Amino acid sequence: RMKEQLLMKSNGSDAGVPLKQPFVIGVAGGTASGKTTVCKMIISQLHDQRVVLIHQDSFYHTLSEDKLQKVSKYNFDHPDAFNTELLLSCMHKLKRGEEVNIPNYDFKTHRSTESSRKVNPSDVIILEGILVLHDHRVRDLMNMKIFVDTDSDVRLARRIQRDTLERGRNIQNVLDQYARFVKPSFEEFILPSKKFADIIIPRGGDNDVAIDLIVQHICTKFGQHDLCKIYPNVFVIFSTFQI
Ligand code: ADP
Ligand code: C5P
């Protein structure tokens, strides 16, 4: 009953019609742009919906021994680095309300770990990753598409810090990989996918206003206007625009 209430649309002509499927949000953007931070901020404000966060990184192909030997020549920023078929199959299952097992990826060994993460069906599914807006089949699953737009120098600085502290790299590795693969692939695949976004968020997690507006929009979809404390009287119409 609770779920049924949560899945009621309340706006427009179809007021009162239960939403048949979860609300899917895609969050794309360059490396270290703040995608995960934005997702966590959205989740923390969505108190009354069941929300799940899926990382595209979980679907990296495990490198063969051969490729591992030459890992500095491997482009992790190319669409082919991901197992998109598996990603699509997991997302379709979640959309149908089935539970799924999502692989866990280890950035230090460049492999999926033995264990996987069991994910239950949810009202809101957030899919984040550098290339989630690249493939039209993945885009077609989404009800809302977001691009996190953060300056490249800020992203590189964050990436150096994160990869040396958390992902087992040294500064030289990070800079070499950035120049050889990360920057060119950003320009070839990630930046062009910005045009598919409904919402572009400058400055990522620093942009509280954008996060509040997004949460407000999701709440209107679930008929939870009263639970949105910010801008309670504003009905937000989203098209492709920059907040
Ligand atoms: P992405 O998911 O796009 O790779 P993250 O949200 O994981 O980005 O952020 C990458 C790194 O930058 C993390 O170490 C995070 O703590 C840091 N970071 C993210 N947003 C901010 C911010 N607004 N201010 C300072 N550091 C940030
Ligand atoms: O968290 P973020 O969006 O930055 O993760 C994507 C980045 O992870 C890519 O830019 C890719 O270069 C990097 N990556 C890596 N090593 C791996 C897998 C991904 O450096 N084994």
Side-chain angles (χ1 to χ4, degrees):
R1 177 82 193 118
M2 179 70 175
K3 185 179 175 202
E4 206 174 284
Q5 280 173 349
L6 288 175
L7 293 180
M8 297 296 267
K9 277 188 182 176
S10 71
N11 56 324
S13 58
D14 43 9
V17 178
L19 284 176
K20 288 194 179 62
Q21 290 191 323
F23 192 79
V24 181
I25 305 171
V27 180
T31 181
S33 53
K35 300 181 292 296
T36 308
T37 304
V38 163
C39 293
K40 289 187 174 163
M41 289 171 74
I42 293 172
I43 291 168
S44 76
Q45 291 188 38
L46 284 174
H47 309 291
D48 277 50
Q49 277 87 26
R50 298 176 308 164
V51 189
V52 65
L53 176 57
I54 307 288
H55 303 277
Q56 187 182 29
D57 292 345
S58 303
F59 298 90
Y60 267 118
H61 288 295
T62 284
L63 292 197
S64 61
E65 279 305 323
D66 189 34
K67 286 185 176 137
L68 262 180
Q69 301 297 320
K70 299 173 272 182
V71 72
S72 63
K73 297 191 171 62
Y74 191 83
N75 186 357
F76 289 102
D77 294 75
H78 192 282
D80 293 347
F82 296 94
N83 184 346
T84 301
E85 301 304 321
L86 184 60
L87 168 75
L88 282 166
S89 133
C90 288
M91 290 297 293
H92 279 299
K93 279 189 188 158
L94 279 174
K95 278 200 91 162
R96 288 199 301 265
E98 297 168 25
E99 74 172 38
V100 290
N101 287 312
I102 305 285
N104 276 322
Y105 186 73
D106 183 343
F107 286 91
K108 291 185 178 161
T109 60
H110 314 286
R111 291 171 175 279
S112 294
T113 59
E114 297 282 311
S115 62
S116 55
R117 174 170 71 114
K118 193 178 111 183
V119 171
N120 292 315
S122 299
D123 303 317
V124 179
I125 304 168
I126 307 185
L127 172 64
E128 74 80 23
I130 50 172
L131 286 163
V132 296
L133 295 184
H134 171 75
D135 187 312
H136 73 91
R137 296 169 303 166
V138 182
R139 283 201 306 276
D140 289 348
L141 294 165
M142 297 168 183
N143 303 94
M144 180 193 272
K145 303 181 209 63
I146 297 173
F147 190 94
V148 180
D149 202 5
T150 303
D151 290 346
S152 300
D153 53 353
V154 175
R155 294 191 294 101
L156 176 58
R158 285 182 189 161
R159 172 128 176 181
I160 292 169
Q161 210 157 22
R162 182 194 63 194
D163 285 12
T164 51
L165 291 175
E166 297 169 21
R167 294 189 179 176
R169 316 289 165 89
N170 63 46
I171 293 184
Q172 200 54 53
N173 295 151
V174 180
L175 295 178
D176 289 347
Q177 184 189 6
Y178 190 85
R180 185 166 187 173
F181 295 121
V182 180
K183 184 177 158 74
S185 293
F186 176 77
E187 284 163 4
E188 186 173 356
F189 304 112
I190 301 172
L191 198 52
S193 76
K194 185 161 115 176
K195 65 176 173 285
F196 299 114
D198 304 305
I199 300 159
I200 295 161
I201 308 183
R203 307 179 310 284
D206 292 335
N207 195 332
D208 293 327
V209 174
I211 311 286
D212 291 342
L213 287 168
I214 289 162
V215 170
Q216 175 76 17
H217 180 72
I218 299 165
C219 288
T220 62
K221 288 286 172 196
F222 283 90
Q224 306 276 302
H225 309 265
D226 47 326
L227 294 175
C228 292
K229 305 278 180 259
I230 299 116
Y231 314 125
N233 299 316
V234 178
F235 189 78
V236 186
I237 301 170
F238 282 79
S239 59
T240 303
F241 77 114
Q242 190 154 327
I243 296 171

